[in-house]
Amino acid sequence: MADRLEPRLPAHLEVGALIRRVAAEGGFASVLHKGEADAGTVMLVLTERGLNARVYERMPDAQGHRVWTCSRTENPDDKRELSDWLDRRAASDPDLWIVELDIADGERFIGLTGSAG
């Protein structure tokens, strides 16, 4: 099984690179929760001018590869719901990094195109 493991970039380097790329393209990025520097997992909240929030995290696919998957979208009638959910996730996993990227078509920064949901 060891040969199936994919090499991972340390979380703090991945987060830093994402923040720099978004800023270079005129967007805004912010760390909402700082997790474990090397082995932490990264969850992204993608927004466009603070609206239409989509949460992406890496989930295993059928082949065992970790792929970015939309796990939650903002309820436009109750925006607090998503914030509360993110708070619970951070509380249950202190190693988790939660990073918000506020830029049009943020999915392009994780190899996806178009908006989810």
Side-chain angles (χ1 to χ4, degrees):
M1 278 297 189
D3 60 334
R4 291 183 55 152
L5 295 177
E6 297 175 13
R8 284 185 56 189
L9 188 62
H12 73 281
L13 291 178
E14 181 178 11
V15 167
L18 280 167
I19 290 171
R20 285 189 298 281
R21 284 185 59 209
V22 168
E25 293 199 28
F28 176 78
S30 176
V31 175
L32 303 179
H33 183 265
K34 186 176 181 178
E36 207 283 323
D38 292 318
T41 58
V42 177
M43 175 183 285
L44 298 176
V45 180
L46 306 181
T47 65
E48 297 170 27
R49 295 188 194 133
L51 303 172
N52 189 30
R54 291 102 51 210
V55 179
Y56 283 86
E57 54 190 313
R58 289 190 188 98
M59 305 292 263
D61 66 8
Q63 291 77 36
H65 301 282
R66 293 170 15 110
V67 297
W68 287 105
T69 304
C70 184
S71 58
R72 191 95 173 194
T73 58
E74 180 179 67
N75 176 352
D77 297 326
D78 185 2
K79 295 182 182 224
R80 185 77 195 147
E81 181 181 298
L82 180 63
S83 179
D84 290 345
W85 182 79
L86 290 169
D87 289 345
R88 287 191 304 273
R89 288 291 304 267
S92 70
D93 184 358
D95 293 342
L96 178 67
W97 288 74
I98 302 176
V99 181
E100 182 174 343
L101 307 181
D102 192 338
I103 191 165
D105 190 23
E107 284 81 0
R108 63 194 154 111
F109 292 94
I110 55 174
L112 305 174
T113 58
S115 296

